[in-house]
Amino acid sequence: MGLSQLIERHRQEVLTRWKEMVRTLSDARHLSEERLVNHVPDLLDWLVARLRDRDAADVHGSQMLSRVHAFQRVGDDFDLVEVLMELAVLRDVLLGLWAEQPGEVSPAEVIQLNRDLDDVVAVCTTEFARQILARHGAPREATQAMGP
């Protein structure tokens, strides 16, 4: 069984573990279940698709999910550290699942998962910073200079 199948088979368990751990963050405690979970199921689906066939899973899909998540968390008055902690918790849960059941998972799949999550973190961080700058009146040119 590869990493994509492992994640798929334990999807609900991953979400449950992630929610429990993220609920310990101060800003996440007040969120409804729907607001908390937000785009994580879609992100898991994207990661699974990406692990199965790197070319089939559009990188723009994860960028959109990351941007929407960052935008929502700015609206929820999270700080950047807590947004990044949410993603770190997801990585920890996924790597923990692999450590518990390494089976047929190749090191290349784990490396790919980490790279894809790093890309999500980079996009989410950039968008979060962009939203905060815009909220505080930074000129559009300043936020556009941060990249795509």
Side-chain angles (χ1 to χ4, degrees), residues 86-131:
E86 284 186 315
L87 295 170
V89 166
L90 182 60
R91 184 185 314 256
D92 287 349
V93 169
L94 292 171
L95 292 176
L97 179 64
W98 164 64
E100 291 167 10
Q101 300 182 38
E104 303 289 319
V105 176
S106 72
E109 291 175 295
V110 177
I111 290 168
Q112 187 58 57
L113 174 71
N114 275 301
R115 285 182 180 153
D116 288 336
L117 284 169
D118 287 346
D119 289 344
V120 168
V121 167
V123 171
C124 197
T125 301
T126 302
E127 186 59 30
F128 190 92
R130 196 178 271 144
Q131 293 296 322

Side-chain angles (χ1 to χ4, degrees), residues 23-24 28 38 41 47 54 86 141:
R23 283 276 185 214
T24 65
N38 145 332
L47 289 167
R54 192 157 172 69
E86 284 186 315
E141 297 81 26

Side-chain angles (χ1 to χ4, degrees), residues 46-92:
W46 180 83
L47 289 167
V48 165
R50 190 88 166 144
L51 286 164
R52 280 202 176 122
D53 184 356
R54 192 157 172 69
D55 296 327
D58 183 13
V59 71
H60 298 294
S62 78
Q63 290 176 354
M64 183 56 67
L65 288 169
S66 300
R67 287 185 176 113
V68 170
H69 184 76
F71 183 79
Q72 181 182 7
R73 290 306 191 240
V74 167
D76 291 332
D77 291 325
F78 272 50
D79 65 31
L80 181 56
V81 171
E82 288 194 306
V83 172
L84 295 177
M85 284 302 300
E86 284 186 315
L87 295 170
V89 166
L90 182 60
R91 184 185 314 256
D92 287 349

